[in-house]
Amino acid sequence: MLSREQIIEAAIGLLDAGGESVLTVRALSERLATGSGAISYHVGKRDDLLDAATEMVVTGALATKSGRAGKAPEDEIRVVALALFDAIAEHRWLATRLTLQIVRNPVGPVTVGIFERIGRQLAALGVPQASWFDAASTLVHYILGAISQNARIEGDTSDVEPGAEREEFLGAASAAWRELAPEDYPFMHAIVGQMADHDDREQFLTGIAIVLDGLTHLG
């Protein structure tokens, strides 16, 4: 008998293969060899299916990277951040849907799961309780913004192949920066080599470190 989990897993497969544009009830029905009524009964409408797929991927990623007793608060925050970074690297459609979940469903399991895992670490970092919401929101906003920027944006009409997208983009950008007049743009010329050769994951962690350093000075 077809289960809700099977439907959601099949939906994730379609999303991974072609993004949101290929996820239709008809396509999912054909993949599962079932009728649209079964999908509606178990999951609901298409938006419900997208939310369920987001929840399954995110909760699975966070569960895999579950916190361990005795871990330093900075390390636990990095674990959560990298779990989301890696999930979006694997599921490019997730960047848009995760942001929508945070904005539209503040009581949903995705939003509260992320905020709870991060928020529990703030007291140990010395952040005063009056600043917990702002501190957690700053971290979540940085995490989502940074990893969304690295992901292929849903609806992008670029002809660049996904595998070559990053290298080609950085090469074109660095070449354009080198064409700028050095006397007018000395900073851009100073960092052009760093931009062309940087590691996205390491840059992401550097940003986390900068935010955490700022939060420790709120007390």
Side-chain angles (χ1 to χ4, degrees):
M1 181 179 295
L2 190 64
S3 68
R4 186 174 188 273
E5 289 71 22
Q6 289 174 313
I7 293 173
I8 297 171
E9 287 172 355
I12 292 171
L14 287 173
L15 288 165
D16 288 346
E20 287 191 31
S21 62
V22 304
L23 180 61
T24 64
V25 173
R26 179 176 181 178
L28 189 57
S29 298
E30 292 176 353
R31 171 167 286 206
L32 293 168
T34 189
S36 60
I39 296 173
S40 178
Y41 174 78
H42 284 289
V43 183
K45 297 180 292 186
R46 182 175 180 273
D47 282 345
D48 299 321
L49 186 59
L50 285 164
D51 287 344
T54 302
E55 180 183 337
M56 178 176 282
V57 172
V58 172
T59 55
L62 293 179
T64 301
K65 303 293 185 179
S66 59
R68 298 199 306 269
K71 183 183 290 292
E74 298 93 336
D75 292 337
E76 174 62 10
I77 289 172
R78 291 188 187 97
V79 165
V80 174
L82 285 176
L84 296 174
F85 185 96
D86 292 341
I88 288 179
E90 184 177 354
H91 309 279
R92 292 293 184 172
W93 55 271
L94 185 60
T96 300
R97 300 311 308 185
L98 179 54
T99 301
L100 289 174
Q101 280 268 3
I102 298 292
V103 172
R104 294 178 178 176
N105 194 6
V107 298
V110 169
T111 302
V112 299
I114 293 172
F115 268 85
E116 184 65 26
R117 282 284 294 276
I118 289 175
R120 287 182 186 179
Q121 314 309 316
L122 297 178
L125 287 171
V127 178
Q129 187 169 350
S131 299
W132 282 1
F133 174 72
D134 289 343
S137 296
T138 297
L139 274 165
V140 171
H141 291 160
Y142 168 76
I143 291 168
L144 294 183
I147 57 183
S148 294
Q149 183 176 332
N150 284 322
R152 186 178 179 86
I153 302 301
E154 183 68 29
D156 183 8
T157 56
S158 170
D159 291 329
V160 179
E161 290 297 320
E165 179 180 2
R166 182 182 185 278
E167 182 179 351
E168 187 168 333
F169 173 79
L170 292 179
S174 61
W177 284 9
R178 289 190 174 94
E179 292 297 319
L180 297 171
E183 61 274 16
D184 294 329
Y185 299 97
F187 176 76
M188 302 301 283
H189 276 268
I191 66 169
V192 64
Q194 298 171 23
M195 187 275 286
D197 299 330
H198 81 278
D199 180 274
D200 290 336
R201 223 163 179 264
E202 290 302 318
Q203 184 187 61
F204 178 64
L205 288 175
T206 297
I208 293 289
I210 291 171
V211 175
L212 289 176
D213 183 66
L215 295 181
T216 61
H217 290 85
L218 288 176

